[in-house]
């Protein structure tokens, strides 16, 4: 296995953790997205779920809250070598924050055809002038990650 490649069992465990966070968001009436951030050694740094409605904060996406918590925990706003595991492809705001935080890789479940910034609507890695690129893998537990979102929006309609 290449250095720093996550063992598949651990990856699934972290995505399940992110899905549990998404379920917390859903239970609070928030769009069900959950995220975790792990270190280079695949140790959990932080986890969070969407909460912009309850926090009355449009930036309170799971990814942003995970970055904030991890930065406080590590004492550094740069989170080099880390991996974000998130149930939904990050939006433009979150992708920008991931770039500024110098996150090494993003692994997401479901693509977001309406606002995904790692290939669906925009590919932030293709934006000229940015001095950091993120390794991206999508489609991990895609069905489970997509189902929770589809169910949420179906019930709201």
């Amino acid at each position: 296995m290449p250095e720093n490649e996550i063992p598949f069992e651990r990856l699934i465990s972290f995505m399940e953790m992110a899905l549990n966070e998404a379920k917390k968001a859903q239970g609070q009436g928030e769009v069900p997205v959950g995220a975790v951030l792990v270190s280079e050694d695949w140790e959990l740094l932080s986890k969070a779920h969407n909460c912009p409605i309850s926090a009355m904060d449009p930036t309170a996406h799971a990814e942003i809250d995970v970055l904030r918590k991890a930065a406080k925990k590590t004492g550094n706003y740069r989170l080099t070598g880390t991996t974000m595991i998130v149930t939904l492809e990050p939006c433009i705001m979150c992708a920008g924050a991931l770039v500024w935080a110098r996150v090494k890789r993003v692994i997401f479940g479901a693509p977001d055809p309406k606002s995904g910034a790692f290939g669906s609507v925009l590919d932030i890695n293709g934006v000229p002038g940015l001095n950091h690129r993120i390794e991206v893998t999508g489609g991990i537990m895609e069905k489970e990650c997509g189902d929770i979102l589809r169910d949420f929006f179906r019930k709201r309609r």
Side-chain angles (χ1 to χ4, degrees), residues 119-132:
S120 290
V121 174
L122 169 79
D123 184 358
I124 197 154
N125 282 325
V127 174
L130 294 180
N131 64 347
H132 180 69

Side-chain angles (χ1 to χ4, degrees), residues 8-10 19 27-28 31 34 54 72 87 89 108 111 128 140 143 148 154 156:
F8 187 72
E9 319 76 56
R10 299 269 323 257
L19 273 166
Q28 297 169 359
V31 175
S54 57
K72 284 183 182 173
T87 58
E89 178 183 1
F108 67 85
I140 304 298
K143 182 182 180 327
I148 191 172
R154 188 176 11 252
R156 292 188 63 122

